[in-house]
Coordinates of all heavy atoms in Angstrom, one line a residue:
M1 N 102.7 23.7 103.5 CA 101.5 23.2 104.2 C 101.8 21.7 104.5 O 102.2 20.9 103.7 CB 100.3 23.3 103.2 CG 99.0 22.8 103.8 SD 98.6 23.5 105.3 CE 98.4 25.2 104.9
S2 N 101.5 21.4 105.7 CA 101.5 20.1 106.3 C 100.5 19.1 105.7 O 99.3 19.5 105.6 CB 101.4 20.1 107.8 OG 101.2 18.9 108.2
Q3 N 101.0 18.0 105.3 CA 100.1 17.0 104.9 C 99.0 16.5 106.0 O 97.8 16.3 105.7 CB 100.7 15.7 104.4 CG 101.4 16.0 103.0 CD 100.6 16.4 101.9 OE1 99.5 15.7 101.8 NE2 100.9 17.4 101.2
L4 N 99.5 16.5 107.2 CA 98.6 16.1 108.3 C 97.6 17.1 108.7 O 96.4 16.8 108.7 CB 99.5 15.9 109.6 CG 98.8 15.5 110.9 CD1 97.8 14.3 110.6 CD2 99.6 15.3 112.0
V5 N 98.0 18.5 108.5 CA 97.1 19.6 108.8 C 95.9 19.5 107.6 O 94.8 19.6 107.9 CB 97.7 20.9 108.9 CG1 96.7 22.0 108.8 CG2 98.7 21.0 110.1
K6 N 96.5 19.3 106.5 CA 95.5 19.4 105.4 C 94.5 18.1 105.4 O 93.3 18.2 105.1 CB 96.3 19.2 104.0 CG 95.5 19.2 102.7 CD 96.3 19.3 101.5 CE 95.5 19.3 100.3 NZ 96.3 19.2 99.1
H7 N 95.1 16.9 105.8 CA 94.2 15.7 106.0 C 93.2 15.9 107.0 O 92.0 15.6 106.8 CB 95.3 14.5 106.3 CG 94.5 13.2 106.3 ND1 94.0 12.6 105.3 CD2 94.3 12.4 107.4 CE1 93.4 11.4 105.6 NE2 93.7 11.3 106.9
L8 N 93.6 16.4 108.2 CA 92.5 16.6 109.2 C 91.6 17.7 108.8 O 90.4 17.5 109.1 CB 93.3 17.1 110.5 CG 94.1 16.0 111.2 CD1 94.9 16.6 112.4 CD2 93.3 14.8 111.6
A9 N 91.9 18.7 108.1 CA 91.0 19.7 107.7 C 90.0 19.2 106.6 O 88.8 19.3 106.7 CB 91.7 21.0 107.1
N10 N 90.6 18.2 105.7 CA 89.7 17.7 104.7 C 88.7 16.6 105.4 O 87.6 16.4 104.8 CB 90.6 16.9 103.7 CG 91.2 17.8 102.7 OD1 90.8 19.0 102.7 ND2 92.2 17.4 102.1
L11 N 89.0 16.1 106.5 CA 88.0 15.2 107.3 C 87.0 16.0 108.0 O 86.1 15.3 108.5 CB 88.9 14.3 108.2 CG 89.8 13.2 107.5 CD1 90.5 12.4 108.6 CD2 88.8 12.2 106.8
G12 N 87.2 17.2 108.2 CA 86.1 18.1 108.8 C 86.4 18.4 110.3 O 85.5 18.8 111.0
Y13 N 87.6 18.3 110.7 CA 88.0 18.6 112.1 C 88.2 20.2 112.2 O 88.5 20.6 113.4 CB 89.3 17.9 112.5 CG 89.0 16.5 112.7 CD1 89.2 15.5 111.8 CD2 88.5 16.1 114.0 CE1 88.8 14.2 111.9 CE2 88.3 14.7 114.2 CZ 88.5 13.8 113.2 OH 88.1 12.4 113.5
G14 N 88.0 20.9 111.2 CA 88.2 22.4 111.3 C 89.0 22.9 110.2 O 89.4 22.2 109.3
T15 N 89.1 24.2 110.2 CA 90.0 24.9 109.2 C 91.4 24.4 109.5 O 91.8 24.0 110.5 CB 89.8 26.4 109.2 OG1 90.3 26.8 110.6 CG2 88.4 26.8 109.0
R16 N 92.3 24.8 108.5 CA 93.8 24.5 108.7 C 94.3 25.3 109.9 O 95.0 24.8 110.7 CB 94.6 24.9 107.4 CG 94.1 23.9 106.4 CD 94.9 24.2 105.1 NE 94.4 23.3 104.0 CZ 94.9 23.4 102.8 NH1 95.7 24.3 102.4 NH2 94.3 22.5 101.8
R17 N 93.8 26.5 110.1 CA 94.1 27.3 111.2 C 93.7 26.5 112.6 O 94.4 26.5 113.6 CB 93.5 28.7 111.1 CG 94.1 29.6 112.4 CD 93.6 31.0 112.1 NE 94.5 31.5 111.1 CZ 94.0 32.6 110.3 NH1 92.9 33.2 110.6 NH2 94.9 33.1 109.4
D18 N 92.5 26.0 112.5 CA 91.9 25.3 113.7 C 92.7 24.1 114.0 O 93.0 23.7 115.2 CB 90.4 24.9 113.5 CG 89.4 26.0 113.3 OD1 89.7 27.1 114.0 OD2 88.4 25.8 112.8
I19 N 93.2 23.5 113.0 CA 94.0 22.1 113.2 C 95.4 22.6 113.7 O 95.8 21.8 114.7 CB 94.2 21.3 111.9 CG1 92.8 21.0 111.3 CG2 95.0 20.2 112.1 CD1 91.9 20.3 112.1
T20 N 96.0 23.6 113.3 CA 97.2 24.1 113.8 C 97.1 24.4 115.3 O 97.9 24.1 116.1 CB 97.7 25.2 113.0 OG1 97.9 24.9 111.7 CG2 99.1 25.7 113.5
R21 N 96.0 25.0 115.7 CA 95.7 25.3 117.0 C 95.5 24.1 117.9 O 96.1 23.9 119.0 CB 94.4 26.2 117.2 CG 94.2 26.8 118.6 CD 93.0 27.8 118.6 NE 93.2 28.9 117.5 CZ 92.2 29.0 116.6 NH1 91.2 28.2 116.5 NH2 92.4 30.0 115.7
L22 N 94.9 23.1 117.4 CA 94.8 21.7 118.1 C 96.2 21.1 118.3 O 96.4 20.6 119.3 CB 93.8 20.7 117.2 CG 92.4 21.0 117.2 CD1 91.7 20.0 116.1 CD2 91.8 20.8 118.6
M23 N 97.0 21.3 117.4 CA 98.2 20.7 117.4 C 99.2 21.4 118.5 O 99.9 20.8 119.2 CB 99.0 20.6 116.0 CG 98.3 19.8 115.1 SD 99.1 19.7 113.5 CE 99.6 18.1 113.6
T24 N 99.0 22.7 118.6 CA 99.8 23.6 119.5 C 99.3 23.2 120.9 O 99.9 23.3 122.0 CB 99.8 25.0 119.2 OG1 98.4 25.4 119.2 CG2 100.5 25.3 117.9
Q25 N 98.0 22.8 121.1 CA 97.4 22.4 122.4 C 97.6 21.0 122.7 O 97.2 20.5 123.6 CB 95.9 22.7 122.3 CG 95.5 24.2 122.1 CD 94.1 24.4 121.9 OE1 93.2 23.4 121.6 NE2 93.6 25.6 121.9
R26 N 98.5 20.3 121.9 CA 98.8 18.9 122.1 C 97.7 18.0 122.1 O 97.7 16.9 122.8 CB 99.7 18.9 123.4 CG 101.0 19.8 123.3 CD 101.6 19.8 124.6 NE 102.1 18.6 125.1 CZ 103.5 18.2 124.9 NH1 104.1 18.9 124.1 NH2 103.9 17.0 125.3
R27 N 96.7 18.3 121.3 CA 95.4 17.4 121.2 C 95.5 16.4 120.1 O 94.6 15.5 120.0 CB 94.2 18.3 121.2 CG 94.1 19.2 122.3 CD 93.0 20.2 122.3 NE 91.6 19.6 121.9 CZ 90.6 20.4 121.4 NH1 90.7 21.7 121.4 NH2 89.5 19.8 121.2
V28 N 96.5 16.5 119.2 CA 96.6 15.5 118.1 C 97.9 14.6 118.5 O 99.0 15.1 118.5 CB 96.8 16.2 116.8 CG1 97.0 15.2 115.6 CG2 95.7 17.1 116.5
T29 N 97.5 13.3 118.6 CA 98.7 12.3 119.0 C 98.5 11.1 118.2 O 97.7 11.0 117.4 CB 98.3 11.8 120.5 OG1 97.1 11.3 120.7 CG2 98.4 13.1 121.5
D30 N 99.5 10.3 118.3 CA 99.5 8.9 117.7 C 98.9 7.9 118.7 O 98.6 8.3 120.0 CB 100.7 8.5 117.1 CG 101.8 8.3 118.1 OD1 101.5 8.2 119.3 OD2 103.1 8.2 117.7
T31 N 98.7 6.7 118.3 CA 98.2 5.7 119.2 C 99.2 5.4 120.3 O 98.6 4.7 121.4 CB 98.0 4.3 118.4 OG1 99.2 4.0 117.7 CG2 96.9 4.5 117.4
H32 N 100.4 5.8 120.4 CA 101.2 5.6 121.5 C 101.2 6.8 122.4 O 102.0 6.8 123.4 CB 102.7 5.3 121.0 CG 102.9 4.1 120.1 ND1 102.6 2.8 120.5 CD2 103.1 4.1 118.7 CE1 102.7 2.0 119.4 NE2 103.0 2.7 118.5
G33 N 100.5 7.8 122.2 CA 100.5 8.9 123.0 C 101.4 10.1 122.6 O 101.4 11.0 123.4
T34 N 102.1 9.8 121.6 CA 103.1 10.9 121.2 C 102.4 12.0 120.4 O 101.7 11.7 119.5 CB 104.1 10.3 120.3 OG1 104.9 9.2 121.0 CG2 105.2 11.2 119.9
V35 N 102.7 13.2 121.0 CA 102.1 14.4 120.3 C 102.7 14.5 119.0 O 103.8 14.4 118.7 CB 102.4 15.6 121.1 CG1 101.9 16.9 120.4 CG2 101.8 15.5 122.5
L36 N 101.9 14.7 117.9 CA 102.2 14.9 116.5 C 102.5 16.3 116.1 O 101.6 17.2 116.6 CB 101.2 14.2 115.6 CG 101.0 12.7 115.8 CD1 99.9 12.2 114.8 CD2 102.3 11.9 115.4
R37 N 103.4 16.6 115.4 CA 103.7 18.0 114.9 C 103.1 18.0 113.5 O 103.0 17.0 112.9 CB 105.2 18.2 115.0 CG 105.7 18.2 116.3 CD 107.3 18.5 116.3 NE 107.8 18.5 117.6 CZ 108.2 19.5 118.3 NH1 107.9 20.7 117.7 NH2 108.7 19.5 119.5
A38 N 103.1 19.1 113.0 CA 102.4 19.3 111.6 C 103.3 18.7 110.6 O 102.7 18.2 109.6 CB 102.3 20.8 111.4
E39 N 104.6 18.6 110.8 CA 105.4 18.0 109.6 C 105.7 16.4 109.9 O 106.4 15.9 109.2 CB 106.8 18.7 109.7 CG 107.6 18.7 110.9 CD 107.1 19.7 111.9 OE1 106.4 20.6 111.6 OE2 107.7 19.8 113.0
A40 N 105.0 15.9 110.9 CA 105.2 14.5 111.2 C 104.6 13.6 110.1 O 103.5 13.8 109.5 CB 104.5 14.0 112.5
A41 N 105.4 12.5 109.8 CA 104.9 11.5 109.0 C 103.7 10.7 109.7 O 103.8 10.5 110.9 CB 105.9 10.5 108.5
F42 N 102.6 10.3 109.1 CA 101.6 9.6 109.8 C 100.8 8.6 109.0 O 100.9 8.6 107.6 CB 100.6 10.7 110.3 CG 99.8 11.3 109.0 CD1 98.5 10.9 108.5 CD2 100.4 12.5 108.3 CE1 97.9 11.4 107.5 CE2 99.7 13.0 107.2 CZ 98.5 12.4 106.9
R43 N 100.2 7.8 109.6 CA 99.3 6.8 109.0 C 97.9 7.2 109.6 O 97.7 7.4 110.6 CB 99.6 5.3 109.3 CG 100.8 4.8 108.5 CD 100.9 3.3 108.8 NE 99.8 2.6 108.5 CZ 99.1 1.8 109.4 NH1 99.7 1.6 110.5 NH2 98.0 1.1 109.1
H44 N 96.8 7.2 108.7 CA 95.5 7.6 109.1 C 95.0 6.9 110.4 O 94.6 7.5 111.2 CB 94.5 7.3 107.9 CG 93.1 7.7 108.3 ND1 92.7 9.0 108.1 CD2 92.1 7.0 108.8 CE1 91.2 9.0 108.5 NE2 91.1 7.7 108.9
D45 N 95.3 5.5 110.3 CA 94.7 4.7 111.4 C 95.5 4.9 112.9 O 95.0 4.5 113.9 CB 95.0 3.2 111.2 CG 94.0 2.8 109.9 OD1 93.0 3.5 109.7 OD2 94.3 1.8 109.3
D46 N 96.8 5.6 112.7 CA 97.5 5.8 113.9 C 97.3 7.2 114.5 O 97.8 7.5 115.6 CB 99.0 5.7 113.6 CG 99.3 4.3 113.3 OD1 98.5 3.4 113.6 OD2 100.4 4.1 112.7
V47 N 96.5 8.1 114.0 CA 96.3 9.4 114.5 C 95.0 9.5 115.3 O 94.0 8.9 115.0 CB 96.0 10.5 113.3 CG1 95.9 11.9 113.7 CG2 97.4 10.4 112.3
L48 N 95.1 10.1 116.5 CA 94.0 10.4 117.4 C 93.9 11.9 117.6 O 94.9 12.7 117.7 CB 94.3 9.7 118.7 CG 94.6 8.3 118.7 CD1 95.1 7.9 120.1 CD2 93.5 7.3 118.2
V49 N 92.6 12.4 117.7 CA 92.3 13.8 118.1 C 91.5 13.7 119.3 O 90.5 12.9 119.4 CB 91.5 14.5 116.9 CG1 91.1 15.8 117.4 CG2 92.3 14.6 115.7
D50 N 92.1 14.3 120.4 CA 91.4 14.3 121.8 C 91.3 12.9 122.1 O 90.3 12.5 122.8 CB 90.1 15.0 121.8 CG 90.2 16.5 121.6 OD1 91.3 17.0 122.0 OD2 89.3 17.1 121.1
G51 N 92.2 12.0 121.8 CA 92.2 10.6 122.3 C 91.3 9.6 121.5 O 91.1 8.5 121.7
L52 N 90.7 10.2 120.5 CA 89.7 9.4 119.6 C 90.2 9.1 118.3 O 90.8 10.0 117.7 CB 88.3 10.1 119.5 CG 87.6 10.3 120.8 CD1 86.4 11.2 120.7 CD2 87.2 9.1 121.6
P53 N 90.0 8.0 117.7 CA 90.5 7.8 116.3 C 89.8 8.7 115.3 O 88.7 9.1 115.5 CB 90.2 6.2 116.0 CG 89.1 5.8 117.1 CD 89.2 6.7 118.2
L54 N 90.5 8.9 114.2 CA 89.9 9.7 113.1 C 88.7 9.1 112.5 O 88.6 7.8 112.4 CB 91.0 9.9 112.0 CG 92.3 10.7 112.5 CD1 93.1 10.8 111.2 CD2 92.0 12.0 113.0
D55 N 87.9 10.0 111.9 CA 86.8 9.4 111.2 C 87.3 8.8 109.9 O 88.4 9.1 109.5 CB 85.9 10.5 110.7 CG 85.1 11.3 111.8 OD1 85.0 10.6 112.9 OD2 84.8 12.4 111.7
P56 N 86.6 7.8 109.3 CA 87.1 7.2 108.2 C 87.2 8.2 107.0 O 86.5 9.1 106.9 CB 86.0 6.1 107.8 CG 84.8 6.4 108.7 CD 85.3 7.3 109.7
P57 N 88.3 8.0 106.1 CA 88.4 8.8 104.9 C 87.3 8.7 104.0 O 86.6 7.7 104.0 CB 89.7 8.4 104.4 CG 90.0 7.0 104.8 CD 89.3 6.9 106.1
P58 N 87.0 9.7 103.2 CA 85.8 9.6 102.2 C 86.1 8.5 101.2 O 87.3 8.2 100.9 CB 85.9 11.0 101.6 CG 87.1 11.7 102.0 CD 87.7 11.0 103.2
A59 N 85.1 7.9 100.9 CA 85.1 6.8 99.8 C 85.4 7.3 98.5 O 85.1 8.5 98.2 CB 83.8 6.0 100.0
A60 N 86.0 6.5 97.7 CA 86.3 6.9 96.3 C 85.1 6.5 95.6 O 84.3 5.6 95.8 CB 87.5 6.1 95.8
V61 N 84.8 7.3 94.5 CA 83.6 7.2 93.6 C 84.2 6.8 92.2 O 85.1 7.4 91.7 CB 82.7 8.4 93.6 CG1 81.6 8.2 92.6 CG2 82.2 8.7 94.9
V62 N 83.7 5.7 91.6 CA 84.1 5.3 90.3 C 83.0 5.5 89.4 O 81.9 4.9 89.6 CB 84.7 3.8 90.4 CG1 85.1 3.5 88.9 CG2 85.9 3.7 91.2
L63 N 83.2 6.1 88.3 CA 82.2 6.3 87.2 C 82.6 5.5 86.1 O 83.7 5.5 85.7 CB 82.0 7.8 86.9 CG 81.5 8.7 88.0 CD1 81.5 10.1 87.5 CD2 80.2 8.3 88.5
L64 N 81.6 4.8 85.6 CA 82.0 3.9 84.3 C 81.1 4.3 83.2 O 79.8 4.6 83.4 CB 81.6 2.4 84.6 CG 82.4 1.8 85.8 CD1 82.1 0.4 86.0 CD2 83.9 1.8 85.4
H65 N 81.6 4.4 82.0 CA 80.9 4.7 80.8 C 80.5 3.4 80.2 O 81.4 2.7 79.9 CB 81.7 5.6 79.8 CG 81.1 5.8 78.6 ND1 79.8 6.5 78.4 CD2 81.4 5.3 77.3 CE1 79.6 6.4 77.0 NE2 80.4 5.7 76.5
K66 N 79.3 3.1 79.9 CA 78.8 1.8 79.3 C 78.6 2.1 77.8 O 77.5 2.5 77.4 CB 77.7 1.2 79.9 CG 77.3 -0.1 79.4 CD 76.1 -0.7 80.0 CE 74.9 -0.8 79.0 NZ 75.0 -0.8 77.7
P67 N 79.6 1.8 76.9 CA 79.3 2.0 75.5 C 78.3 1.0 74.9 O 78.1 0.0 75.5 CB 80.7 1.8 74.9 CG 81.8 1.6 76.0 CD 80.9 1.4 77.2
V68 N 77.9 1.4 73.7 CA 77.0 0.4 73.0 C 77.7 -0.9 72.7 O 78.9 -0.9 72.5 CB 76.5 1.0 71.8 CG1 75.8 0.1 70.9 CG2 75.8 2.4 71.9
G69 N 77.1 -2.0 73.0 CA 77.7 -3.4 72.8 C 78.2 -3.9 74.1 O 78.6 -5.1 74.0
I70 N 78.2 -3.3 75.2 CA 78.6 -3.8 76.4 C 77.5 -4.4 77.0 O 76.4 -3.7 77.2 CB 79.3 -2.7 77.4 CG1 80.5 -2.2 76.7 CG2 79.6 -3.4 78.8 CD1 81.6 -3.0 76.4
R71 N 77.5 -5.7 77.5 CA 76.3 -6.3 78.2 C 76.5 -6.2 79.7 O 77.5 -6.4 80.3 CB 76.3 -7.8 77.8 CG 76.0 -7.9 76.3 CD 75.9 -9.4 75.9 NE 76.7 -10.2 76.7 CZ 76.5 -11.5 76.8 NH1 75.6 -12.1 76.2 NH2 77.4 -12.3 77.4
V72 N 75.4 -5.9 80.4 CA 75.4 -6.1 81.9 C 74.5 -7.1 82.4 O 73.3 -7.1 81.9 CB 74.9 -4.6 82.4 CG1 74.8 -4.7 83.9 CG2 75.7 -3.5 82.0
L73 N 75.0 -8.1 83.1 CA 74.3 -9.2 83.4 C 74.0 -9.3 84.9 O 74.9 -8.8 85.7 CB 75.1 -10.5 83.1 CG 75.6 -10.7 81.7 CD1 76.4 -11.9 81.6 CD2 74.3 -10.7 80.7
D74 N 72.9 -9.6 85.3 CA 72.5 -9.6 86.8 C 72.7 -11.1 87.3 O 72.2 -12.1 86.8 CB 70.9 -9.3 86.9 CG 70.5 -9.2 88.3 OD1 71.5 -9.3 89.2 OD2 69.3 -8.8 88.5
D75 N 73.5 -11.0 88.4 CA 73.8 -12.4 89.1 C 72.7 -12.5 90.1 O 72.7 -11.8 91.2 CB 75.2 -12.2 89.7 CG 75.5 -13.6 90.5 OD1 74.7 -14.6 90.5 OD2 76.6 -13.6 91.1
R76 N 71.7 -13.3 89.9 CA 70.6 -13.5 90.7 C 70.9 -14.1 92.1 O 70.1 -14.1 93.0 CB 69.5 -14.3 90.1 CG 69.0 -13.7 88.8 CD 68.0 -12.4 89.1 NE 67.7 -11.8 88.0 CZ 67.1 -10.7 88.0 NH1 66.7 -10.0 89.0 NH2 66.7 -10.3 86.7
C77 N 72.1 -14.6 92.3 CA 72.5 -15.2 93.6 C 72.8 -14.1 94.5 O 72.7 -14.4 95.8 CB 73.7 -16.1 93.4 SG 73.4 -17.5 92.3
G78 N 73.2 -13.0 94.1 CA 73.5 -11.9 95.0 C 73.2 -10.5 94.4 O 72.4 -10.4 93.6
Q79 N 74.0 -9.6 94.8 CA 73.6 -8.1 94.3 C 74.7 -7.7 93.4 O 74.9 -6.4 93.2 CB 73.5 -7.2 95.4 CG 72.4 -7.6 96.4 CD 72.2 -6.5 97.6 OE1 73.1 -5.8 97.8 NE2 71.1 -6.6 98.2
S80 N 75.6 -8.5 92.9 CA 76.6 -8.1 92.0 C 76.2 -7.9 90.6 O 75.2 -8.6 90.2 CB 77.8 -9.1 92.1 OG 77.4 -10.4 91.6
R81 N 76.9 -7.1 89.8 CA 76.6 -7.0 88.5 C 77.9 -7.3 87.8 O 79.0 -6.8 88.1 CB 76.3 -5.5 88.2 CG 75.1 -5.1 89.0 CD 73.8 -5.6 88.5 NE 72.6 -5.0 89.2 CZ 72.0 -5.7 90.2 NH1 72.4 -6.7 90.6 NH2 70.9 -5.0 90.7
R82 N 77.8 -7.9 86.6 CA 79.1 -8.3 85.9 C 79.1 -7.5 84.6 O 78.0 -7.4 83.9 CB 79.1 -9.8 85.5 CG 79.3 -10.6 86.7 CD 79.6 -12.1 86.3 NE 79.6 -13.0 87.5 CZ 80.7 -13.1 88.2 NH1 81.8 -12.6 87.9 NH2 80.7 -13.9 89.2
I83 N 80.1 -6.9 84.3 CA 80.1 -6.1 83.0 C 81.2 -6.8 82.2 O 82.3 -7.0 82.5 CB 80.6 -4.7 83.3 CG1 79.6 -4.0 84.4 CG2 80.7 -3.8 82.1 CD1 80.0 -2.6 84.9
R84 N 80.7 -7.1 80.9 CA 81.6 -7.7 80.0 C 81.7 -6.9 78.7 O 80.8 -6.3 78.3 CB 81.0 -9.1 79.6 CG 80.8 -10.1 80.8 CD 80.5 -11.4 80.3 NE 80.5 -12.1 81.6 CZ 80.1 -13.4 81.5 NH1 79.9 -14.1 80.5 NH2 80.0 -14.2 82.8
S85 N 82.9 -6.9 78.2 CA 83.1 -6.1 77.1 C 83.9 -7.1 76.0 O 83.8 -8.3 76.1 CB 84.0 -4.9 77.3 OG 85.2 -5.3 77.8
A86 N 84.6 -6.5 75.1 CA 85.4 -7.2 74.1 C 86.4 -8.4 74.9 O 86.7 -8.2 76.0 CB 86.3 -6.3 73.3
P87 N 86.6 -9.4 74.2 CA 87.4 -10.4 74.8 C 88.6 -10.0 75.4 O 89.1 -10.6 76.3 CB 87.6 -11.4 73.7 CG 86.6 -11.1 72.6 CD 86.3 -9.7 72.8
R88 N 89.3 -9.0 74.9 CA 90.6 -8.6 75.4 C 90.4 -7.7 76.8 O 91.4 -7.5 77.4 CB 91.4 -7.9 74.5 CG 90.8 -6.5 74.0 CD 91.4 -6.0 72.7 NE 90.4 -5.5 72.0 CZ 90.3 -4.3 71.5 NH1 91.4 -3.5 71.5 NH2 89.3 -3.9 70.8
A89 N 89.3 -7.2 77.1 CA 89.1 -6.5 78.3 C 88.7 -7.4 79.5 O 88.3 -8.6 79.2 CB 87.9 -5.5 78.0
I90 N 89.1 -7.0 80.7 CA 88.9 -7.7 81.8 C 87.5 -7.5 82.4 O 87.2 -6.4 82.8 CB 89.9 -7.3 82.9 CG1 91.5 -7.6 82.4 CG2 89.7 -8.2 84.2 CD1 92.5 -7.1 83.2
P91 N 86.7 -8.6 82.5 CA 85.4 -8.4 83.2 C 85.6 -7.9 84.7 O 86.5 -8.4 85.3 CB 84.7 -9.8 83.2 CG 85.6 -10.5 82.2 CD 86.9 -10.0 82.1
V92 N 84.7 -7.1 85.2 CA 84.7 -6.6 86.4 C 83.4 -6.7 87.1 O 82.3 -6.6 86.6 CB 85.0 -5.0 86.5 CG1 85.1 -4.6 87.9 CG2 86.4 -4.9 85.9
A93 N 83.5 -7.3 88.4 CA 82.3 -7.5 89.2 C 82.2 -6.3 90.2 O 83.0 -5.9 90.8 CB 82.3 -8.8 90.0
L94 N 81.0 -5.7 90.2 CA 80.7 -4.6 91.1 C 79.6 -5.0 92.2 O 78.7 -5.8 91.9 CB 80.1 -3.4 90.4 CG 81.0 -2.8 89.3 CD1 80.4 -1.8 88.5 CD2 82.3 -2.4 89.9
T95 N 79.6 -4.5 93.4 CA 78.6 -4.6 94.4 C 78.0 -3.4 94.9 O 78.6 -2.3 94.6 CB 79.3 -5.5 95.7 OG1 80.3 -4.6 96.2 CG2 79.8 -6.8 95.2
D96 N 76.9 -3.4 95.6 CA 76.3 -2.3 96.1 C 77.1 -1.6 97.1 O 77.0 -0.4 97.4 CB 74.9 -2.6 96.6 CG 74.0 -2.9 95.6 OD1 74.2 -2.7 94.3 OD2 73.0 -3.7 95.8
D97 N 78.1 -2.3 97.8 CA 78.8 -1.6 98.8 C 80.1 -1.0 98.2 O 80.9 -0.5 99.0 CB 79.0 -2.6 100.0 CG 80.1 -3.7 99.4 OD1 80.5 -3.8 98.3 OD2 80.4 -4.6 100.2
G98 N 80.3 -1.0 97.0 CA 81.4 -0.3 96.3 C 82.6 -1.2 96.2 O 83.5 -0.8 95.6
A99 N 82.6 -2.4 96.7 CA 83.7 -3.3 96.5 C 83.6 -3.8 95.1 O 82.7 -4.1 94.6 CB 83.7 -4.4 97.5
G100 N 84.9 -4.1 94.5 CA 84.9 -4.7 93.2 C 86.1 -5.7 93.1 O 87.0 -5.6 93.9
W101 N 86.0 -6.6 92.3 CA 87.1 -7.5 92.1 C 87.0 -8.1 90.7 O 86.0 -8.1 89.9 CB 86.9 -8.8 93.1 CG 85.7 -9.5 92.9 CD1 85.5 -10.6 92.1 CD2 84.3 -9.2 93.4 NE1 84.2 -11.0 92.2 CE2 83.4 -10.2 92.8 CE3 83.8 -8.2 94.2 CZ2 82.1 -10.3 93.2 CZ3 82.4 -8.3 94.5 CH2 81.6 -9.3 94.1
P102 N 88.1 -8.6 90.1 CA 88.1 -9.2 88.8 C 87.2 -10.3 88.8 O 87.1 -11.2 89.7 CB 89.6 -9.7 88.6 CG 90.3 -8.8 89.5 CD 89.4 -8.6 90.7
A103 N 86.3 -10.4 87.8 CA 85.4 -11.5 87.6 C 86.0 -12.8 87.1 O 87.1 -12.8 86.6 CB 84.2 -11.1 86.6

């Protein structure tokens, strides 16, 4: 199974059979206009379907378990939350938009 066919099907462009049909109709190209084959190496940002860029890939979801003893502090300056644990653990800041960075 081609990674490109699977990727396009997972993004909702159709079934794997539909994607294969799109490729044989030469409707899947790269940004330079080169028709992509099912076995072609690709970067998400370089693939076009009918001349349009792909929809963004689905976002990752991170679930955290907050054990007893972990404090959650509210940073009133913004919408971030700081989670602190034992001294050897790394504090992490979370935002409502899903971005995170070491605190």
Side-chain angles (χ1 to χ4, degrees):
M1 178 58 59
S2 159
Q3 290 298 319
L4 179 56
V5 172
K6 184 177 178 182
H7 185 67
L8 293 174
N10 287 341
L11 289 173
Y13 285 92
T15 63
R16 293 178 184 177
R17 183 174 287 157
D18 294 336
I19 303 304
T20 303
R21 192 174 304 120
L22 286 174
M23 296 179 109
T24 58
Q25 295 170 350
R26 304 171 62 91
R27 295 170 57 189
V28 180
T29 61
D30 66 10
T31 53
H32 302 293
T34 305
V35 175
L36 295 176
R37 296 178 183 259
E39 60 277 352
F42 69 95
R43 284 188 52 234
H44 178 88
D45 295 338
D46 294 337
V47 179
L48 305 174
V49 175
D50 291 333
L52 299 173
L54 296 180
D55 295 333
V61 176
V62 178
L63 300 176
L64 299 175
H65 170 69
K66 186 184 117 10
V68 175
I70 302 295
R71 298 183 319 164
V72 178
L73 305 174
D74 185 2
D75 179 2
R76 296 293 176 184
C77 297
Q79 296 180 348
S80 65
R81 304 288 187 259
R82 294 187 186 276
I83 300 174
R84 297 190 183 180
S85 63
R88 64 193 140 132
I90 300 172
V92 175
L94 303 174
T95 62
D96 290 341
D97 65 358
W101 64 92

